[in-house]
Amino acid sequence: MPDIFLYIAGTLGICISIVHGLLGEFRVIRPIHSPTVVGKRVLSAIMFLSAVYWALASALLLAVPTYIPDALRPVVVGGVAAVYASGSLGNLWATRGKHFGWVLLAVCTGLALAGM
């Protein structure tokens, strides 16, 4: 059963990262008409890199049951849970709870910890 939790958390995390990257690009970055290109470029990098980091962390969760030794399982899962939890708390704080992304990342955190 813990492996199933990791597979669900990993799959959900990859879906979240894809949607985050696409919505961030088309709904946040492109509509910005900033006089400075640097600000738009920095925001674009933040949106893109956070999506990439979540996808890589999710791929690690998918690899844990098959490729990661049992002795390293708590370290890998705990590290990924920390990445998810920091994203969730950052989203909660930045949007004051008005954005549903923090809930999804909190669910991923709980699923990952349940799979430890």
Side-chain angles (χ1 to χ4, degrees), residues 96-116:
R96 295 181 178 88
K98 296 176 185 172
H99 188 276
F100 62 90
W102 75 270
V103 175
L104 293 174
L105 287 173
V107 167
C108 283
T109 303
L111 286 169
L113 292 175
M116 193 181 297

Side-chain angles (χ1 to χ4, degrees), residues 37-75:
V37 177
V38 175
K40 190 172 183 178
R41 199 174 323 157
V42 168
L43 184 58
S44 180
I46 290 169
M47 296 293 282
F48 176 74
L49 289 175
S50 62
V52 168
Y53 295 153
W54 288 333
L56 291 175
S58 300
L60 274 175
L61 284 183
L62 293 174
V64 164
T66 308
Y67 299 109
I68 306 295
D70 288 338
L72 290 177
R73 185 179 182 124
V75 174

Side-chain angles (χ1 to χ4, degrees), residues 5-24:
F5 290 138
L6 293 179
Y7 289 137
I8 294 170
T11 304
L12 184 60
I14 287 175
C15 292
I16 291 170
S17 68
I18 291 170
V19 171
H20 180 268
L22 290 174
L23 288 179

Side-chain angles (χ1 to χ4, degrees), residues 78-95:
V80 172
V83 169
Y84 284 160
S86 66
S88 178
L89 291 173
N91 194 323
L92 175 66
W93 174 77
T95 64

